[in-house]
């Protein structure tokens, strides 16, 4: 189910995660060559993704909120 990005923060290991409107987190790593999300590495890049949708598997599984 697609959910809107409302913010970003770092997990305990220093990896970026998106905060979704449904109150779930989803990691958005830049880990080339496997995953290329260079936008994650800057404030401006992350800001440009606010309001965009990400597929939330936790919503599909009806998981409780992360935050």
């Amino acid at each position: 189910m697609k959910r809107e990005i409302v913010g970003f923060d770092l997990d305990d290991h220093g990896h970026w995660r998106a905060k979704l409107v449904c109150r779930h987190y989803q990691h958005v790593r830049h880990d080339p060559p496997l995953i290329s999300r260079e936008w994650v590495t800057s404030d401006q890049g992350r800001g440009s993704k606010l309001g965009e949708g990400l597929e939330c598997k936790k919503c599909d599984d009806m998981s409780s909120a992360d935050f």
Side-chain angles (χ1 to χ4, degrees), residues 1-53:
M1 177 175 310
K2 213 162 233 201
R3 299 294 191 186
E4 184 178 304
I5 299 171
V6 296
F8 294 91
D9 71 3
L10 291 169
D11 69 9
D12 295 338
H13 302 284
H15 298 284
W16 285 104
R17 58 189 179 180
K19 296 171 88 174
L20 304 179
V21 70
C22 57
R23 302 185 53 81
H24 289 131
Y25 288 119
Q26 183 174 332
H27 281 96
V28 286
R29 294 180 180 95
H30 176 59
D31 189 19
L34 300 175
I35 302 169
S36 182
R37 292 187 181 123
E38 195 168 327
W39 57 266
V40 171
T41 63
S42 71
D43 288 338
Q44 183 179 16
R46 289 185 301 277
S48 73
K49 298 297 182 181
L50 292 175
E52 288 194 15

